């Protein structure tokens, strides 16, 4: 009997190794999945962008496989994410009545559950945003789980500091790796909120695209190329139902002027570089833990992004910019000959869960609709690899046009089934920018017919047609008169409420100084301020406008209505520079004047009519009748302030009395658009309050006043500058300059 013990022992050991949790963990690879938001391929160095700095992601591509033709099946956050978790397209994990919310049976077992059942330790940190059935407990599907969202991006820490969500997600990932048992493989998901815009905060730059502060200043001196497909004719050639959707509405939030475009693109690039830097930090920790040689790294994104191309803002439609995403796989175990290659295979987000399971030697469920990318990474594209991909969109169907269609190497066909089955057929070989719709071209009738039929068949295979749509609501007109008014609800006089009288929901500022008291936006300081502090309206930039507000300030108080301002994160997250209508309780020479914070400073004292010449020098060309009336300015009483700005013509009033009338001819120094803010000022303790705050957005195309039509008289004299001046100082005279 004893002579058989070694054989029996070998059988027992082998059986134990093949049990879940014990299946030769030292040889099975670890899997790390970095997942970005709202990123197409044009924003990475390894995909050809020679401006953006992404050395760590580029390094993954250099030693891995970069997929040149990777796409999502549906270009919207939550459907794409649920597709990866479930292995199913939206049409398959949802219902015909509610297709973008997962059925309970479709998400009962995620790929993470299958990995756990087979001995993997799983972690998930970051953006979730998957629409699961009622009562779904996402944390039950991972060993370690923490949903980390935006709103806001900067999270207050226990010590009072702020940390960006990108950094926090990687912090958690590094901690996960540090605590990894030696006898288990792991699968770690780090799903970023970046580079998604903060949609509720439309302040250009740090408000709309908040970046990790580690990349402050990057790209500040770079002029980023305009959208390659930004010609107005490209937008105007779209059907009406695409010209009035959310994609167009949000275009006016972030891309519709050169200045806004440059500011937001630099901020977006910083978000990408912030992700890249965080990935580098994680890779260093992985090396330090001795796990890098057996860890596969995947980088991808949940959908593409238009960034002003075609006159659009987000994703949500059928063009390449929305569907195409980066996909990079770095497997350190593959031969050197297979590293650093570019694969032309059509890859989908749908393929990722099958790939993860294949790497772990776990059987891929038959219900999964994607295919493992493992053979492509290790060797080459299989002979029977897909030659076409199915794409659709039906999320937010009442505001985003829904479509379905097929894409192959040569053609793309889609139909917008809620909009008269409007069809597109693009020849991707001869028209890669998809500028020509061949659906009505007789020469392509057979191709159209074949792809239409194949789409119908694929729809049936994936779950069938959706229920009819009841109502569709356009989001904007294609070319609004006042872009700042897009998406707003004005009263009968055309004014939009800037402050609701109850909350600071529409505002961004430090709660140490700002609150709501007695139905008013209230700023309080104790006299210890070292720098003026601001609270900024988040809902829109402002261009041409008529602003009305009631103001009450304590004796000694100093504040101001900041307009067409610029956020200055280099000075502080809440700091704003730019034009200002002063609120000064104790000095009638300053109350209601026009000042420029951190800029040209005093542009006009109260009661002065001023023209600023092309060099930035302000000249007093007259006095305003009635401005003396504001000398009797009672503190602790409410006063009516008005600011009217039309082009480069600025006017201020207090209680109906004019306090400033200025024409700004300084093209380099002036601003034609910016944010709205109010401030608390250095100096004595004070309290400032604003209520009945409202604004009317005026047309964007109001003409700019010109020097030839507003000559500066020879006897005009220079505005007295700020600061202590020599006793014998005399104002310069325009005619003697």
């Amino acid at each position: 009997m004893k002579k058989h013990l070694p054989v029996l022992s070998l059988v027992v050991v082998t059986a134990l190794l093949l049990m879940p949790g014990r299946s030769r963990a030292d040889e099975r690879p670890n899997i790390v999945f970095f997942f970005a938001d709202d990123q197409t391929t044009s924003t990475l160095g390894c995909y050809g962008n020679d401006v953006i700095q992404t050395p760590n992601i580029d390094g993954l591509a250099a030693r891995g496989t970069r997929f040149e033709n990777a796409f999502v099946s549906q270009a919207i956050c939550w459907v794409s994410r649920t597709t990866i978790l479930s292995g199913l397209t939206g049409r398959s994990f949802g219902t015909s009545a509610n297709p973008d919310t997962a059925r309970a049976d479709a998400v009962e077992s995620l790929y993470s559950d299958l990995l756990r059942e087979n001995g993997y330790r799983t972690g998930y940190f970051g953006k979730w945003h998957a629409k699961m059935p009622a009562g779904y407990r996402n944390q039950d599907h991972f060993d370690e789980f923490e949903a980390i969202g935006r709103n806001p991006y900067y999270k207050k820490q226990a010590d009072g500091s702020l940390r960006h969500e990108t950094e926090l997600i990687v912090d958690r990932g590094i901690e996960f790796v540090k605590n990894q048992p030696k006898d288990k493989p792991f699968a770690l998901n780090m799903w970023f909120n970046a580079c998604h815009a903060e949609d509720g905060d439309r302040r250009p730059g740090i408000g709309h695209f908040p970046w990790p502060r580690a990349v402050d200043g990057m790209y500040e001196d770079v002029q980023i190329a305009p959208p390659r497909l930004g010609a107005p004719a490209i937008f105007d050639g779209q059907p009406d139902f695409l010209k009035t959707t959310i994609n167009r509405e949000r275009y006016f939030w972030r891309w519709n002027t050169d200045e806004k475009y440059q500011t937001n693109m630099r901020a977006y690039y910083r978000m990408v570089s912030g992700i890249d830097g965080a990935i580098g930090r994680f890779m260093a920790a992985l090396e330090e833990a001795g796990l890098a040689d057996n860890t596969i790294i995947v980088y991808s994104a949940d959908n593409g992004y238009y960034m002003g191309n075609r006159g659009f803002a987000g994703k949500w439609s059928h063009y390449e910019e929305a569907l195409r995403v980066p996909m990079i796989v770095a497997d350190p175990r593959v031969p050197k000959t297979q590293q650093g290659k570019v694969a032309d295979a059509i890859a989908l987000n749908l393929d990722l869960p099958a790939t993860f399971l294949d790497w772990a030697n776990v059987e891929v469920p038959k219900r999964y609709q994607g295919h493992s990318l493992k053979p492509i990474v290790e060797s080459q594209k299989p002979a029977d690899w897909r030659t076409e991909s199915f794409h659709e969109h039906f999320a937010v169907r009442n505001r985003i046009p829904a479509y379905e269609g097929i894409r192959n190497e040569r053609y793309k066909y889609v139909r917008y089934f809620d909009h008269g089955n409007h069809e597109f057929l693009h020849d991707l070989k001869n028209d890669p920018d998809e500028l020509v719709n061949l659906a009505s071209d007789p020469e392509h009738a057979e191709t159209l017919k074949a792809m239409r039929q194949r789409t119908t068949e694929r729809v049936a295979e994936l779950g069938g047609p959706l229920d009819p749509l009841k109502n569709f609501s356009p989001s904007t007109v294609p070319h609004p008169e006042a872009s700042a008014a897009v998406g707003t609800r004005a009263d009968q006089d055309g004014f939009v409420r800037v402050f609701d009288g109850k909350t600071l929901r529409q505002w961004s500022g430090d709660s140490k100084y700002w609150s709501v008291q007695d139905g008013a936006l209230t700023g309080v300081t104790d006299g210890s301020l070292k720098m003026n502090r601001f609270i900024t309206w988040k809902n829109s930039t402002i261009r041409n406008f008529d602003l009305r507000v009631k103001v009450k300030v304590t004796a000694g108080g100093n504040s101001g209505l900041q307009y067409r301002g610029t956020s200055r994160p280099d000075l502080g997250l809440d700091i704003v520079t730019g034009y200002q209508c002063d609120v000064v309780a104790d000095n009638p020479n300053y109350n209601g004047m026009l000042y420029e914070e951190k800029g040209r400073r005093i542009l006009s004292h109260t009661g002065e009519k001023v023209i600023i010449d092309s060099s930035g020098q302000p000249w007093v060309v007259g006095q305003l009748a009635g401005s003396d009336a504001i000398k009797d300015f009672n503190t602790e009483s409410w006063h009516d302030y008005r600011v009217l700005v039309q082009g480069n013509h600025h006017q201020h009033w207090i209680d109906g009395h004019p306090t400033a009338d200025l024409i700004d001819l300084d093209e380099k120094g002036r601003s034609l658009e910016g944010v709205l803010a109010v401030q608390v000022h250095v100096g004595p303790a004070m309290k400032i309050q604003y209520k009945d705050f409202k604004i009317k957005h005026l047309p964007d195309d109001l003409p700019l006043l010109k020097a030839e039509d507003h000559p500066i008289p020879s006897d005009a004299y220079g505005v007295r500058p700020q600061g202590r001046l020599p006793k014998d100082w005399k104002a310069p005279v325009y005619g003697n300059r």
Side-chain angles (χ1 to χ4, degrees):
M1 187 70 179
K2 288 183 179 179
K3 64 180 179 180
H4 298 296
L5 281 175
V7 177
L8 179 60
S9 298
L10 180 62
V11 171
V12 171
V13 170
T14 303
L16 288 171
L17 285 172
L18 293 176
M19 288 176 61
R22 297 292 298 276
S23 55
R24 304 180 69 184
D26 58 321
E27 293 187 10
R28 289 187 298 167
N30 306 308
I31 303 165
V32 173
F33 180 23
F34 293 110
F35 200 35
D37 199 315
D38 282 1
Q39 186 182 32
T40 192
T41 55
S42 65
T43 59
L44 290 172
C46 57
Y47 278 94
N49 188 314
D50 59 2
V51 172
I52 202 157
Q53 298 178 40
T54 52
N56 295 295
I57 297 172
D58 297 348
L60 294 175
R63 60 182 183 273
T65 299
R66 177 171 66 82
F67 286 85
E68 187 69 20
N69 293 302
F71 304 94
V72 293
S73 56
Q74 184 164 175
I76 197 166
C77 303
W78 63 87
V79 177
S80 180
R81 291 164 185 269
T82 309
T83 286
I84 292 173
L85 292 166
S86 67
L88 303 171
T89 62
R91 192 178 296 260
S92 300
F93 69 63
T95 65
S96 60
N98 192 14
D100 62 341
T101 299
R103 303 185 318 276
D105 64 293
V107 290
E108 181 180 0
S109 178
L110 308 181
Y111 72 80
S112 56
D113 295 305
L114 298 175
L115 290 174
R116 290 173 77 190
E117 291 169 7
N118 285 272
Y120 269 73
R121 175 173 172 249
T122 61
Y124 185 105
F125 306 105
K127 178 175 178 175
W128 180 252
H129 202 197
K131 291 190 176 182
M132 297 302 196
Y136 194 84
R137 289 175 53 84
N138 41 28
Q139 66 270 29
D140 292 346
H141 298 265
F142 300 87
D143 292 301
E144 293 190 25
F145 179 93
E146 183 180 352
I148 302 173
R150 51 187 179 86
N151 308 119
Y153 267 99
Y154 301 110
K155 311 294 185 187
K156 185 165 284 190
Q157 304 302 291
D159 63 359
S161 64
L162 297 176
R163 194 149 177 80
H164 194 275
E165 64 87 27
T166 295
E167 300 288 4
L168 279 179
I169 289 167
V170 170
D171 289 348
R172 301 295 188 268
I174 291 173
E175 197 64 29
F176 180 90
V177 166
K178 286 181 177 179
N179 295 326
Q180 176 63 25
K182 295 185 182 300
D183 61 343
K184 290 174 72 72
F186 68 83
L188 173 60
N189 300 273
M190 286 174 276
W191 290 20
F192 302 114
N193 294 271
C195 305
H196 200 294
E198 192 73 281
D199 290 329
D201 190 339
R202 295 159 206 168
R203 297 174 295 154
I206 198 70
H208 206 47
F209 291 105
W211 60 82
R213 303 309 302 274
V215 294
D216 276 359
M218 286 184 72
Y219 312 111
E220 194 59 43
D221 298 326
V222 175
Q223 187 73 12
I224 297 174
R228 193 175 61 83
L229 301 176
I234 296 176
F235 171 78
D236 290 336
Q238 303 293 329
D240 287 345
F241 63 84
L242 288 182
K243 291 196 290 187
T244 59
T245 186
I246 294 175
N247 253 328
R248 185 60 171 177
E249 176 187 30
R250 296 187 181 184
Y251 172 81
F252 296 107
W253 296 1
R254 56 188 77 133
W255 310 123
N256 65 309
T257 66
D258 290 342
E259 183 177 359
K260 198 186 296 183
Y261 175 83
Q262 290 295 328
T263 299
N264 280 331
M265 283 298 292
R266 291 181 185 123
Y268 180 94
Y269 276 21
R270 289 183 197 118
M271 293 184 97
V272 176
S273 290
I275 290 174
D276 185 83
I279 288 175
R281 192 161 56 88
F282 176 85
M283 297 301 293
L286 197 66
E287 288 277 0
E288 186 177 344
L291 297 168
D293 290 343
N294 194 39
T295 300
I296 303 171
I297 309 293
V298 179
Y299 182 88
S300 193
D302 61 358
N303 49 250
Y305 209 42
Y306 282 110
M307 292 183 290
N309 281 297
R310 305 182 194 276
F312 293 155
K315 48 267 188 184
W316 309 308
S317 56
H318 73 275
Y319 293 109
E320 295 286 275
E321 296 86 12
L323 296 175
R324 189 180 290 273
V325 292
M327 189 178 290
I328 299 165
V329 178
D331 185 346
R333 307 167 309 154
V334 303
K336 292 290 185 183
T337 56
Q338 297 300 317
Q339 296 182 14
K341 67 183 182 182
V342 178
D344 64 357
I346 297 174
L348 294 170
N349 57 344
L350 197 61
D351 297 328
L352 290 172
T355 306
F356 299 155
L357 296 178
D358 194 9
W359 280 330
N361 295 322
V362 175
E363 184 179 357
V364 178
K366 290 183 172 55
R367 70 177 183 277
Y368 275 26
Q369 296 166 339
H371 307 290
S372 174
L373 301 170
K374 181 171 178 280
I376 300 174
V377 173
E378 293 180 348
S379 180
Q380 59 186 357
K381 179 173 63 177
D384 60 350
W385 192 257
R386 71 168 67 88
T387 57
E388 69 177 21
S389 52
F390 175 79
H391 303 277
E392 61 187 354
H393 201 295
F394 45 65
V396 199
R397 191 175 162 197
N398 65 317
R399 293 188 65 201
I400 299 175
Y403 75 86
E404 56 200 13
I406 294 285
R407 183 196 185 281
N408 58 38
E409 293 179 355
R410 178 67 188 271
Y411 292 103
K412 180 190 290 182
Y413 165 82
V414 299
R415 60 191 179 212
Y416 283 84
F417 49 82
D418 290 332
H419 299 272
N421 263 348
H422 187 103
E423 294 178 307
F424 285 87
L425 180 66
H426 300 294
D427 183 339
L428 300 177
K429 180 180 179 181
N430 296 313
D431 177 29
D433 290 333
E434 303 169 284
L435 299 178
V436 179
N437 183 6
L438 299 172
S440 60
D441 186 343
E443 293 186 10
H444 292 83
E446 288 302 314
T447 299
L448 180 73
K449 180 179 178 182
M451 296 191 79
R452 180 191 294 147
Q453 178 60 31
R454 181 69 188 115
T455 296
T456 299
E457 293 170 355
R458 191 71 177 125
V459 165
E461 293 167 4
L462 294 174
L466 305 184
D467 291 357
L469 177 68
K470 294 181 180 178
N471 295 297
F472 183 83
S473 301
S475 298
T476 182
V477 296
H479 300 284
E481 187 178 56
S483 56
V486 169
T488 63
R489 294 183 179 180
D491 64 19
Q492 61 183 5
D493 297 318
F495 283 89
V496 176
R497 295 179 68 191
V498 170
F499 168 61
D500 63 14
K502 300 176 183 178
T503 69
L504 298 179
R505 182 177 57 85
Q506 300 179 66
W507 294 80
S508 177
D510 193 331
S511 59
K512 179 179 179 180
Y513 309 108
W514 299 99
S515 63
V516 178
Q517 298 181 23
D518 305 318
L521 175 61
T522 303
V524 177
T525 66
D526 61 6
S528 64
L529 270 186
K530 303 300 181 184
M531 180 185 292
N532 299 342
R533 308 306 293 262
F534 298 79
I535 188 167
T536 310
W537 190 48
K538 299 190 299 182
N539 281 32
S540 176
T541 54
I542 57 175
R543 191 180 299 189
N544 299 317
F545 61 89
D546 188 351
L547 175 68
R548 314 288 180 92
V549 63
K550 292 184 181 297
V551 181
K552 183 165 69 171
V553 62
T554 55
N558 192 342
S559 181
L561 292 156
Q562 206 82 19
Y563 62 88
R564 286 185 177 174
T566 300
S567 297
R568 290 290 303 274
D570 54 317
L571 303 176
L573 281 177
D574 63 339
I575 304 302
V576 177
T577 61
Y579 295 116
Q580 179 180 298
C581 173
D582 266 27
V583 178
V584 184
D586 298 335
N587 192 333
N589 294 316
Y590 291 165
N591 200 5
M593 75 175 186
L594 210 168
Y595 183 79
E596 189 174 73
E597 186 92 9
K598 306 288 185 187
R600 295 169 295 177
R601 308 182 82 176
I602 294 177
L603 300 180
S604 73
H605 291 279
T606 302
E608 294 175 338
K609 188 172 183 178
V610 169
I611 296 176
I612 302 177
D613 68 20
S614 60
S615 71
Q617 170 65 48
W619 299 96
V620 180
V621 298
Q623 298 293 321
L624 300 175
S627 61
D628 286 348
I630 68 159
K631 290 181 178 179
D632 298 323
F633 185 85
N634 297 322
T635 57
E636 304 295 348
S637 297
W638 290 102
H639 297 275
D640 293 311
Y641 279 67
R642 181 188 181 194
V643 178
L644 176 65
V645 180
Q646 301 173 92
N648 57 343
H649 187 196
H650 302 244
Q651 295 172 278
H652 301 170
W653 291 265
I654 298 176
D655 295 329
H657 305 294
T659 62
D661 189 316
L662 178 143
I663 298 172
D664 194 345
L665 301 175
D666 178 10
E667 293 185 15
K668 292 184 178 179
R670 71 190 179 197
S671 173
L672 299 178
E673 184 175 11
V675 298
L676 170 67
V678 295
Q679 70 168 229
V680 286
H681 206 280
V682 297
M686 61 166 288
K687 181 176 182 179
I688 179 74
Q689 293 186 290
Y690 296 91
K691 70 175 184 179
D692 298 343
F693 217 149
K694 59 186 181 179
I695 191 168
K696 179 189 289 186
H697 298 293
L698 303 177
D700 290 346
D701 60 357
L702 295 179
L704 297 175
L705 303 183
K706 299 178 180 179
E708 54 266 33
D709 298 323
H710 297 275
I712 300 173
S714 60
D715 61 349
Y717 57 91
V719 170
R720 183 183 177 89
Q722 189 173 10
R724 184 173 295 177
L725 300 174
K727 290 183 179 180
D728 60 349
W729 180 86
K730 292 183 180 180
V733 177
Y734 186 76
N736 298 334
R737 72 195 191 285

